[in-house]
Amino acid sequence: MGQTIAIISALHEEQAGLLALMPGQRPERLAGREFWRGQLQGHEVIAVLSGIGKVAAATTTAVLMERFAPQLLIFTGVAGGIGDGVSVGDIVVGSSYLQHDMDASPLFARHELPGYGRSRLLADPRLVALMQQAAEQAIAWLPRQLDPATRAAFGLQVPRVHCGNLITGDRFVATAAESCALRTELGSALAVDMESAAVAQVCHDYGVPFCAVRTISDRADDQAHVDFPAFLHQVARHYSGRMLETALSLL
Ligand code: ADE
């Protein structure tokens, strides 16, 4: 028996790839967002775009929970790589999430989520293992979908899958100085984005298993504002469809 699975995408390009795998899907409009309902690999899927930033992503997730009551939630998008060896084209499966711009000190420790007694929220371990397996399978196939010039331009010859801490804040990190400061402050962080930890918090509140998977579009450095749109345009759309199809077939 299939499950009800929410899939939040960060990008139009990714969502288009996913919807193409869900024939007969239809949209429902709520809170200014389109929620697409369809079937994939025998599961009921609700697909929606997150919106950009923590508030937009949290609102999307709360509406999903209230209207569709998914049994699990997967987020796919892109992120800036900040960990050593996390390169453009690699995939990061988030096993824990932290808001790097959360600061209620001195009332609470730096990064602590007020009311939660901790700064990091964990992904569901079973979903992490599943997404790692799906990402490993997809990544072996992905570079072959791109023409050699695009592969060379982005250095996508042997992309890798990493698993670990994703950090989130309402800021596009676009200087080497800032990504270096984040790396120094939060040593274990692999990548930075603008939504994952917010979605993780809402999933935690509703008790729904969650995992975010992020493809590295840039290195969150002085080149990020150039690499990011080029990656979205030329590469990102190839990534999530196949990975999600594989993941849902393994559930
Ligand atoms: N998403 C993709 N690249 C990013 C960056 N450099 N900073 C924040 N979010 C991102």
Side-chain angles (χ1 to χ4, degrees):
M1 176 66 178
Q3 305 190 51
T4 302
I5 300 170
I7 297 179
I8 307 187
S9 307
L11 310 171
H12 277 287
E13 292 85 346
E14 285 180 310
Q15 194 188 41
L18 174 62
L19 294 182
L21 300 171
M22 295 166 40
Q25 20 72 6
R26 50 203 165 73
E28 189 170 327
R29 207 168 166 77
L30 281 167
R33 291 144 166 86
E34 278 186 333
F35 295 80
W36 295 84
R37 220 193 249 260
Q39 308 275 325
L40 185 61
Q41 297 288 339
H43 300 283
E44 175 87 7
V45 168
I46 320 295
V48 64
L49 287 175
S50 61
I52 297 172
K54 292 191 297 180
V55 173
T59 302
T60 303
T61 311
V63 173
L64 262 175
M65 296 300 180
E66 290 296 330
R67 173 70 184 88
F68 301 99
Q71 288 156 283
L72 54 98
L73 194 151
I74 300 169
F75 189 111
T76 67
V78 293
I82 59 173
D84 284 339
V86 180
S87 309
V88 171
D90 288 1
I91 296 178
V92 174
V93 178
S95 56
S96 65
Y97 308 92
L98 174 140
Q99 295 178 33
H100 66 77
D101 55 356
M102 173 58 75
D103 187 1
S105 60
L107 305 177
F108 296 88
R110 178 87 172 101
H111 299 127
E112 182 173 328
L113 295 170
Y116 292 72
R118 57 182 146 152
S119 53
R120 281 171 211 269
L121 297 174
L122 299 180
D124 179 72
R126 198 173 72 95
L127 261 187
V128 171
L130 180 88
M131 292 315 298
Q132 255 185 298
Q133 197 181 340
E136 293 283 2
Q137 285 188 29
I139 216 160
W141 164 89
L142 271 164
R144 278 179 260 140
Q145 305 311 302
L146 304 166
D147 62 72
T150 307
R151 273 208 308 263
F154 290 93
L156 302 178
Q157 308 306 336
V158 251
R160 294 169 53 204
V161 177
H162 311 262
C163 182
N165 188 220
L166 281 174
I167 62 173
T168 298
D170 278 323
R171 209 157 55 227
F172 185 79
V173 179
T175 65
E178 189 178 353
S179 73
C180 188
L182 287 170
R183 199 165 33 244
T184 306
E185 191 180 11
L186 299 162
S188 66
L190 295 180
V192 61
D193 65 44
M194 298 179 69
E195 298 86 17
S196 295
V199 177
Q201 189 172 341
V202 179
C203 288
H204 173 274
D205 291 349
Y206 279 88
V208 170
F210 169 68
C211 183
V213 184
R214 294 275 181 169
T215 307
I216 302 304
S217 55
D218 56 81
R219 277 288 301 172
D221 56 12
D222 300 356
Q223 191 61 25
H225 67 290
V226 179
D227 294 343
F228 175 79
F231 191 89
L232 295 200
H233 191 63
Q234 295 176 51
V235 186
R237 67 197 159 90
H238 295 286
Y239 264 78
S240 62
R242 169 94 173 215
M243 188 163 51
L244 287 166
E245 198 173 34
T246 305
L248 267 53
S249 75
L250 296 169
L251 265 171

